[in-house]
Amino acid sequence: VIYTSGSTGKPKGVMISYRSLCGLYYVMLHDIFSQLPRTRLNVSVNAPFLIDVSVGQYIALLMGHKITLIPENVRTSPQELINFLNEQKVQVFDCVNSQLKSLLREGLIENKENTLIALLQAGEAIDNKTWKTISSPGDIRFFNIYGPTEATVYSTWCEVTGASQSPTIGLPVTNYQSYILDEQMNHVPLGVFGELCIGGVGVARGYLNKAELTADRFIPNPFSFNGGDRLYRTGDIVRFHHNGQIEFKGRADNQVKIQGNRIELDDVEHQLMQHAEIQDAVVLAKETKASEKSLVAYYIPKNGTPLLHEEIFLFMQQKLPQYMIPHIFIPIPELPKNPNGKLDLKKL
């Protein structure tokens, strides 16, 4: 049993079979490490043991690789972390997108003492700015990996290259299937958004002591000829590109309705981050007065100096219709993280 990170609510115990862990071993061996030099590598354990990504990191031991545990006080300091990776000669490093952005700001790519040959980004959606930064050829190969705890860590993957102009989560890993379905569980046409449902060896048994939730999220696989096969409904909205790559849009529950208008918070965040003086941003729908919801934007100024409200508002007016523009813009020094290193929306 391993618990979800709880970034969207109370953590849930997910029941993983040892068969699924064997499947994860094969995914790591066949899909990820087969892309790297076939030598003994120094692999970091950056995630806390409480969360699923750490399983994929210490499974590297089974392949004969060395693992280096990163101390907690080092994990939270980008410059100290870069120094630690260099000193320990780490070659393969895992992290979430928010940590990756901090490392890039501290000069991870430009660092002359760098020993990394591969960086695996997983656990959070990658944004356009970061994708473009890491897509240029260099000494470090970047991989974008997607997978919920309920599907045993990794479900899709791709190498980040200049061939794709915008982020994708790639193709299904070995022995997994990805289906994009509508509300009636039918396949959606190419290029149309739907819910990502995962099948294959990594699908968990269900949630611990939550039979009703298990029945809702783990359903019989209508596309399988093997009796008993199930799909995991992720709640993530995605679509297929013409080349088979999967584009991640966001959570199904990240859509809000304000004054009758449906708004995708991810779309508002994307436009806000196009501003040259904004380093990062998060948009939430919050009750401000009289139980009415309004959009509130939290942003990190690039040079530490807050922007004028009118300046941001005018910028957003050129990008979005009026009802999608946040009413409040709040400058913050950094985005809050939970103990697992992921964005902590509750603190905002």
Side-chain angles (χ1 to χ4, degrees):
V1 175
I2 191 163
Y3 282 79
T4 62
S5 62
S7 58
T8 57
K10 188 177 179 181
K12 302 178 290 292
V14 181
M15 299 183 289
I16 305 292
S17 71
Y18 286 104
R19 176 173 178 264
S20 292
L21 289 179
C22 290
L24 175 62
Y25 167 84
Y26 192 75
V27 165
M28 298 285 292
L29 182 68
H30 183 270
D31 293 359
I32 308 298
F33 282 87
S34 66
Q35 310 297 315
L36 307 177
R38 295 180 180 274
T39 58
R40 185 170 180 262
L41 297 170
N42 187 353
V43 182
S44 74
V45 177
N46 181 39
F49 285 133
L50 294 171
I51 63 173
D52 61 354
V53 176
S54 69
V55 180
Q57 294 170 2
Y58 60 73
I59 270 182
L61 275 176
L62 299 177
M63 303 174 201
H65 299 297
K66 171 187 176 180
I67 61 171
T68 297
L69 276 66
I70 297 178
E72 182 64 26
N73 62 315
V74 173
R75 286 182 64 244
T76 55
S77 172
Q79 191 55 62
E80 284 188 40
L81 179 52
I82 290 175
N83 294 338
F84 181 85
L85 295 175
N86 294 337
E87 291 166 2
Q88 299 296 320
K89 295 182 169 51
V90 172
Q91 295 162 299
V92 181
F93 177 69
D94 263 90
C95 69
V96 296
N97 184 52
S98 50
Q99 188 180 36
L100 172 58
K101 289 192 286 188
S102 298
L103 293 172
L104 291 174
R105 288 196 292 269
E106 290 294 330
L108 175 69
I109 294 178
E110 298 81 11
N111 193 294
K112 301 300 182 184
E113 299 177 6
N114 171 54
T115 60
L116 288 180
I117 62 171
L119 189 148
L120 315 180
Q121 194 284 149
E124 286 180 335
I126 193 167
D127 60 276
N128 284 59
K129 277 187 177 180
T130 305
W131 181 274
K132 289 176 182 175
T133 300
I134 64 178
S135 62
S136 302
D139 295 332
I140 306 174
R141 296 175 66 182
F142 291 89
F143 296 88
N144 190 29
I145 305 176
Y146 164 89
T149 306
E150 292 85 346
T152 317
V153 191
Y154 296 149
S155 305
T156 69
W157 75 285
C158 68
E159 183 169 0
V160 181
T161 67
S164 180
Q165 297 302 309
S166 58
T168 74
I169 57 172
L171 304 170
V173 295
T174 301
N175 294 327
Y176 278 66
Q177 302 87 45
S178 295
Y179 304 96
I180 303 178
L181 309 175
D182 61 18
E183 292 179 356
Q184 287 73 44
M185 303 306 292
N186 297 315
H187 292 287
V188 299
L190 183 69
V192 174
F193 285 106
E195 181 180 8
L196 176 59
C197 296
I198 298 170
V201 68
V203 175
R205 293 181 178 179
Y207 296 111
L208 182 66
N209 301 323
K210 293 183 181 291
E212 189 175 337
L213 184 60
T214 296
D216 179 59
R217 307 310 299 179
F218 296 86
I219 62 174
N221 187 344
F223 312 109
S224 173
F225 294 105
N226 299 319
D229 281 359
R230 293 173 306 149
L231 293 179
Y232 170 63
R233 296 179 55 206
T234 65
D236 290 329
I237 303 303
V238 301
R239 67 177 173 184
F240 278 123
H241 286 185
H242 63 86
N243 58 2
Q245 297 273 320
I246 299 171
E247 176 190 343
F248 179 91
K249 184 173 179 62
R251 294 287 302 165
D253 52 17
N254 207 28
Q255 184 186 81
V256 299
K257 197 169 186 179
I258 297 180
Q259 296 179 344
N261 296 302
R262 292 194 179 276
I263 300 171
E264 299 278 358
L265 297 179
D266 301 304
D267 292 342
V268 184
E269 290 173 6
H270 172 72
Q271 295 301 335
L272 187 56
M273 287 173 61
Q274 302 308 304
H275 194 291
E277 297 303 318
I278 291 179
Q279 187 170 280
D280 210 345
V282 172
V283 177
L284 300 178
K286 308 193 79 171
E287 290 186 1
T288 51
K289 59 181 179 179
S291 296
E292 290 183 1
K293 279 189 175 180
S294 296
L295 295 183
V296 179
Y298 301 85
Y299 71 95
I300 302 177
K302 185 163 286 186
N303 298 314
T305 305
L307 284 72
L308 293 174
H309 180 282
E310 293 77 8
E311 180 186 347
I312 308 178
F313 193 83
L314 288 172
F315 174 80
M316 295 297 280
Q317 272 189 323
Q318 300 170 28
K319 302 281 187 178
L320 296 170
Q322 196 75 16
Y323 69 86
M324 292 182 69
I325 300 175
H327 290 177
I328 302 169
F329 297 92
I330 302 175
I332 54 177
E334 61 182 17
L335 296 176
K337 311 271 195 336
N338 64 21
N340 297 334
K342 294 186 178 181
L343 185 63
D344 192 338
L345 298 179
K346 289 183 180 178
K347 287 183 180 176
L348 291 175

